[in-house]
């Protein structure tokens, strides 16, 4: 009779062999020059010699996702072409925003729209518009809200981005649940802000519509899928916004604000190029406007199924490579809340490997080329907010995980990420034996 531990070791050996066999074609590709050629064909000259390295800045492989501090996403070819063509002409910016608004309205089903400096810029312009309207006296007065409605009800609680509301003069009022909304609203309520996109939004509208209070829904990372671009107007949401530099793959410093024409007109009156408007510093140029319009046009007919298939195959290739390391397990999911792209979670026993997630993350970043993956760290978080928002935060932190987002990687980079991560994990496992 075979002892249980010998049987188990045999099973482990067979599993390891099968995983190595499955990854063999990938190792063959990594061992050839075709990998470097594939990455170069994506438009890079070299990770070690380019416009950034000449400034002493290291470009990176972005397997973390559309984080602003990592430049969001790369622009679509259509975006770059439109921005390049736009750069050769002068236009009247008032006329351009009006034309852009008509085009966005046609695509979204909303009454009007405007191009903003990101979702945060849309939040600020919307807030200013809901407080000051189009009255030049009120526009000039902001962020002083004396005599004006200025309370903004935040559904669920504060966010990392509510400074965009406060800088326009908005006073935050918290409503934790839909049941808390009615008591939170007063004659001074200028707007309700939410990021909720489920059935709660319709419950909110049943309260705000009779009261004549507009709702701004922030769905910064909501595209893809493109259906979100047309969904909110059908529901009857007063204002809604998207980031241009995340899934839309438009210019990083762009976004769109859509909704009721009177509210869009008010938001425009409080924004660039109006001199003296509180949101004038959040300027978007003709290149950003034409670039984001091109990105929206692209997504209106893009084959999301084909894109998801490619994104899925990227994380599957990484999965095959890292699972050749005994003791490493993986899982592929598609988050439902935001950044809904195939995502690979890589797990190992940190004590047995003698390697923490944070240490692995640092080794990936220190290597060449630099690789950024998703962990529970946030290098762009304002420390005052992180430390003060929840005094018990450190005790409530979730376990640290290493995740890889497929959408922001380019062809060939998945093999580079998978091979590097495999090498780091395998080295740690062998040294720990």
């Amino acid at each position: 009779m075979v002892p249980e531990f010998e049987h188990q070791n045999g099973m482990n050996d067979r599993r390891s062999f099968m995983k190595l066999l499955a990854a063999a074609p990938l190792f063959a590709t990594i061992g050839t020059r075709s990998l470097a050629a594939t990455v170069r064909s994506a438009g890079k000259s070299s990770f070690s010699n380019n416009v950034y390295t000449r400034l002493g800045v290291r470009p990176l492989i972005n397997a973390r996702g559309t984080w602003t501090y990592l430049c969001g996403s790369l622009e679509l070819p259509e975006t770059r072409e439109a921005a390049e063509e736009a750069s050769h002409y002068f236009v009247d910016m008032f006329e351009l925003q009006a034309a852009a608004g008509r085009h966005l309205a046609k695509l979204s089903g909303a009454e009007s729209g405007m191009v903003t400096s990101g979702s945060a810029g849309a939040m600020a312009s919307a807030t200013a518009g809901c407080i000051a309207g189009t009255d030049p006296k009120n526009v000039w007065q902001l962020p002083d809200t004396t005599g004006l409605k200025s309370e903004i009800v935040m559904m669920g609680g504060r966010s990392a981005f509510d400074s965009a509301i406060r800088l326009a003069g908005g006073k935050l009022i918290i409503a934790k649940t839909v049941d808390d909304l009615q008591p939170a609203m007063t004659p001074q309520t200028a707007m309700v802000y939410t990021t909720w996109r489920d059935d709660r939004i319709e419950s909110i509208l049943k309260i705000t519509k009779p009261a004549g209070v507009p709702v701004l829904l922030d769905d910064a990372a909501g595209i893809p899928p493109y259906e979100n671009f047309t969904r909110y107007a059908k529901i009857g949401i007063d204002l809604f916004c998207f980031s241009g530099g995340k899934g839309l793959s438009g210019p990083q410093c762009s976004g769109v604000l859509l909704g009721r024409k009177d509210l869009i007109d008010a938001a425009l009156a409080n924004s660039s190029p109006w001199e003296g408007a509180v949101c004038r510093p959040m300027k978007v140029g003709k290149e950003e406007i034409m670039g984001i319009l091109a990105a929206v046009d692209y997504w209106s007919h893009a084959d999301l199924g084909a894109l998801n298939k490619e994104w899925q195959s990227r994380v599957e290739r990484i999965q095959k490579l890292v699972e050749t390391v005994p003791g490493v397990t993986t899982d592929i999911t598609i988050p439902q809340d935001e950044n809904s792209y195939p995502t690979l979670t890589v797990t190992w026993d940190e004590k047995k490997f003698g390697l923490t997630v944070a240490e692995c993350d640092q080794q990936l970043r220190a290597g060449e080329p630099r690789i950024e993956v998703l962990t529970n760290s946030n290098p762009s978080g304002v420390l005052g907010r992180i430390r003060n928002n929840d005094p018990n935060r450190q005790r409530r932190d979730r376990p640290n995980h290493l995740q890889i987002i497929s959408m922001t990687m380019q062809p060939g980079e998945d093999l580079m990420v998978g091979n590097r991560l495999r090498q780091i994990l395998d080295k740690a496992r062998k040294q720990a034996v």
Side-chain angles (χ1 to χ4, degrees):
M1 185 174 181
V2 179
E4 180 61 29
F5 76 90
E6 290 185 12
H7 174 73
Q8 187 63 46
N9 286 340
M11 291 289 290
N12 289 338
D13 289 343
R14 283 193 289 274
R15 280 196 291 266
S16 297
F17 175 76
M18 293 303 294
K19 289 175 180 177
L20 283 167
L21 191 63
L26 301 179
F27 286 119
T29 302
I30 291 168
T32 67
R33 293 188 177 185
S34 61
L35 176 58
T38 300
V39 175
R40 281 198 300 273
S41 69
K44 297 187 182 76
S45 52
S46 165
F47 272 107
S48 59
N49 182 21
N50 54 65
V51 67
Y52 294 109
T53 58
R54 289 191 284 276
L55 282 175
V57 176
R58 295 177 68 211
L60 54 92
I61 293 177
N62 183 2
R64 185 182 178 100
T66 57
W67 287 65
T68 295
Y69 86 96
L70 294 179
C71 307
S73 58
L74 294 180
E75 293 180 347
L76 293 163
E78 292 83 353
T79 296
R80 290 194 291 266
E81 290 168 9
E84 167 63 21
E85 184 175 357
S87 70
H88 292 274
Y89 300 90
F90 289 99
V91 292
D92 184 308
M93 292 298 293
F94 291 112
E95 294 177 3
L96 180 56
Q97 274 282 25
R102 291 192 295 269
H103 188 69
L104 290 168
K106 182 173 67 173
L107 290 173
S108 67
E111 292 180 3
S112 188
M114 63 181 286
V115 178
T116 65
S117 60
S119 279
M123 291 168 62
S125 293
T127 300
C130 288
I131 293 175
T134 58
D135 187 325
K137 175 181 175 296
N138 295 340
V139 171
W140 173 244
Q141 181 179 315
L142 292 186
D144 177 3
T145 60
T146 303
L148 303 173
K149 295 180 180 180
S150 61
E151 293 180 356
I152 309 299
V153 179
M154 304 284 294
M155 299 306 304
R158 293 193 58 184
S159 80
F161 311 103
D162 61 33
S163 57
I165 291 173
R166 291 182 286 125
L167 64 81
K171 178 184 177 182
L172 305 183
I173 306 295
I174 304 302
K176 292 284 187 182
T177 68
V178 173
D179 291 337
D180 298 324
L181 175 56
Q182 189 78 64
M185 291 171 54
T186 74
Q188 295 302 308
T189 302
M191 187 181 81
V192 172
Y193 171 87
T194 185
T195 58
W196 295 344
R197 302 177 294 280
D198 52 27
D199 293 343
R200 290 175 294 181
I201 189 63
E202 295 192 29
S203 300
I204 291 171
L205 293 173
K206 289 178 181 178
I207 297 171
T208 58
K209 290 288 187 183
V213 175
V215 172
L216 169 64
L217 190 153
D218 179 2
D219 194 6
I223 301 174
Y226 181 74
E227 287 74 18
N228 285 336
F229 200 74
T230 59
R231 173 189 169 207
Y232 302 131
K234 296 174 184 176
I235 297 174
I237 296 173
D238 306 279
L239 291 166
F240 52 100
C241 63
F242 301 96
S243 171
K246 296 186 185 298
L248 265 169
S249 296
Q252 169 62 5
C253 47
S254 71
V256 292
L257 177 64
L258 304 152
R260 283 168 33 189
K261 188 177 186 305
D262 62 320
L263 296 177
I264 296 295
D265 288 346
L268 284 166
N270 287 270
S271 304
S272 180
W274 286 106
E275 297 176 6
V278 70
C279 294
R280 190 178 193 274
M282 302 166 203
K283 187 182 297 183
V284 289
K286 57 188 185 296
E287 295 84 5
E288 285 78 29
I289 292 175
M290 298 311 297
I292 190 63
L293 293 183
V296 174
D297 285 340
Y298 166 84
W299 283 106
S300 68
H301 63 264
D303 186 345
L304 183 56
L307 290 169
N308 269 318
K309 185 177 180 180
E310 168 58 27
W311 295 334
Q312 178 78 16
S313 66
R314 291 176 187 173
V315 288
E316 286 177 352
R317 287 190 285 269
I318 298 173
Q319 180 182 49
K320 287 181 179 179
L321 288 168
V322 298
E323 281 198 343
T324 61
V325 181
V328 174
T329 59
T330 64
D331 182 47
I332 297 175
T333 58
I334 300 180
Q336 297 302 308
D337 48 357
E338 59 181 18
N339 294 311
S340 300
Y341 316 111
T343 300
L344 175 68
T345 301
V346 182
T347 307
W348 64 92
D349 189 318
E350 296 181 52
K351 290 184 178 179
K352 287 184 178 179
F353 275 60
L355 179 75
T356 66
V357 168
E359 289 167 342
C360 184
D361 180 28
Q362 179 55 40
Q363 288 187 41
L364 287 167
R365 187 177 299 115
E368 187 60 42
R370 173 180 172 180
I371 297 173
E372 291 286 341
V373 295
L374 181 62
T375 67
N376 67 1
S377 67
N378 179 8
S380 58
V382 175
L383 293 179
R385 179 186 68 84
I386 294 172
R387 290 170 178 164
N388 297 333
N389 197 44
D390 183 356
N392 299 315
R393 177 180 176 275
Q394 287 185 341
R395 291 195 296 273
R396 295 176 183 175
D397 270 349
R398 292 175 295 179
N400 200 3
H401 293 298
L402 189 151
Q403 293 184 309
I404 294 169
I405 313 297
S406 56
M407 181 264 189
T408 45
M409 289 186 291
Q410 297 185 81
E413 291 182 346
D414 50 351
L415 296 185
M416 298 172 75
V417 171
N419 192 43
R420 178 86 65 75
L421 181 55
R422 180 193 65 82
Q423 290 172 340
I424 292 172
L425 291 170
D426 194 45
K427 180 180 179 180
R429 181 189 67 87
K430 290 176 178 176
Q431 288 179 341
V433 173

